[in-house]
């Protein structure tokens, strides 16, 4: 057996819940391999970010597996003065492959969770203007708060239903999963043309309109129909 030359880093995991209350005791843990995020997947959000909402091919960026965080706390990150919330449905794969047909894509889904794609918008904007990669704005520590994973075997595959984000009780983002430009099976099929998807992969499916800044002390609450809410305090 190979001896590690340093202590192996802990494998990132997300707790799994057996019921819609989000109680994770006995639910087990989902081990994370990769995190893909789709951009501009709700027309109203594409418009608010200054883009044409027509159905262009989807585009993706990645976060790091260890950026997922189920602690319920989001430490305000350094080097930014404009950190935004993006409420998103997270999709967890139990298997994968390449060139997955749309009509078989949901067979690969283990489950779903409410999540946040936290964004250093100022740094992302600088990178966009310079034509540079987005990691500095997107893939920072604890940038993907996530709620418990609901197995599809328990809740099915949510294709419509409200997705909302409140900050300190005030509604900020409001949409419907049915408004996604690229539906979950389509994004899995598309990604699998470019990457070999596998068990442990997570896809953040884009955010509805209403993104905006948070401050220390704010309490963000993501609610998605049929899933346990995700409550996160900015610290
Ligand atoms: Mn996003």
């Amino acid at each position: 057996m190979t001896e590690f030359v340093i202590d192996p880093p802990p494998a990132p995991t997300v707790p799994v819940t057996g019921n819609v209350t989000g109680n994770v005791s006995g639910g087990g843990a989902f081990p994370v391999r990769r995190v893909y995020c789709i951009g501009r997947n709700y027309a109203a959000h594409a418009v608010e970010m200054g883009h044409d909402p027509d159905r262009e091919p989807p585009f993706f960026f990645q976060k790091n597996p260890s950026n997922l965080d189920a602690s319920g706390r989001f430490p305000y990150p350094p080097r930014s003065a404009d950190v935004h919330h993006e409420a998103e449905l997270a999709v967890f794969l139990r298997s994968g492959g390449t060139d997955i047909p749309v009509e078989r894509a949901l067979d690969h889904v283990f489950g779903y969770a409410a999540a946040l794609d936290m964004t250093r918008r100022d740094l992302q904007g600088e990178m966009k203007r310079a034509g540079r990669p987005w990691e500095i704005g997107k893939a920072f520590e604890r940038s993907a708060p996530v709620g418990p994973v609901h197995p599809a075997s328990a809740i099915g595959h949510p294709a419509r239903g409200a997705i909302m984000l409140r900050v300190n009780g005030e509604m900020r983002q409001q949409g419907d999963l049915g408004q996604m430009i690229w539906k979950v099976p389509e994004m899995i099929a598309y990604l699998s043309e470019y990457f070999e998807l596998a068990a442990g992969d997570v896809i953040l499916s884009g955010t509805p309109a209403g993104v905006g800044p948070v401050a220390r002390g704010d309490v963000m609450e993501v609610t998605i129909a049929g899933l346990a809410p995700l409550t996160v305090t900015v610290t």
Side-chain angles (χ1 to χ4, degrees):
M1 187 185 137
T2 304
E3 288 211 15
F4 293 113
V5 297
I6 58 169
D7 289 338
T13 61
V14 180
V16 175
T17 181
N19 54 62
V20 290
T21 66
N23 181 352
V24 296
S25 67
F30 183 94
V32 179
R33 173 179 178 264
R34 293 182 186 172
V35 181
Y36 296 98
C37 308
I38 184 170
R40 291 172 212 142
N41 199 29
Y42 290 76
H45 173 61
V47 170
E48 78 178 348
M49 297 302 286
H51 297 278
D52 187 326
D54 284 349
R55 193 175 147 104
E56 299 170 350
F59 76 92
F60 294 87
F61 57 91
Q62 284 176 273
K63 295 198 182 219
N64 301 296
S66 62
N67 294 155
L68 287 168
D69 187 312
S71 71
R73 288 182 305 282
F74 172 72
Y76 200 92
R79 309 295 295 181
S80 176
D82 192 26
V83 176
H84 280 204
H85 52 73
E86 296 189 0
E88 312 207 359
L89 174 72
V91 184
F92 295 76
L93 300 190
R94 62 176 187 163
S95 54
T98 55
D99 298 320
I100 297 168
V102 170
E103 59 275 15
R104 305 303 306 175
L106 292 181
D107 297 348
H108 297 282
V109 174
F110 171 80
Y112 300 88
L116 283 159
D117 166 16
M118 298 304 295
T119 302
R120 291 195 278 217
R121 192 72 75 203
D122 42 4
L123 300 187
Q124 183 200 26
E126 288 176 23
M127 294 302 113
K128 281 184 182 178
R129 285 190 292 278
R132 290 178 180 161
W134 288 7
E135 279 86 351
I136 203 168
K138 287 288 195 180
F140 54 91
E141 272 56 56
R142 299 171 75 171
S143 58
V146 62
V149 183
H150 296 266
S153 59
I155 64 156
H157 297 277
R160 59 192 63 78
I163 174 170
M164 294 178 285
L165 179 137
R166 292 179 180 84
V167 178
N168 305 328
E170 182 186 318
M171 187 71 74
R172 293 277 188 88
Q173 291 191 258
Q174 208 167 2
D176 192 286
L177 299 177
Q179 296 166 338
M180 284 186 197
I181 298 168
W182 295 89
K183 312 300 185 196
V184 171
E186 293 171 323
M187 61 182 86
I188 291 170
Y190 189 91
L191 269 172
S192 77
E193 294 177 18
Y194 291 86
F195 302 99
E196 183 170 352
L197 298 178
D201 290 351
V202 179
I203 304 169
L204 298 190
S205 57
T207 197
V211 300
V214 295
R216 288 180 183 83
D218 283 348
V219 177
M220 304 179 282
E221 186 180 30
V222 180
T223 53
I224 297 177
L227 306 186
L230 166 64
T231 303
V232 179
T233 303
V234 183
T235 62

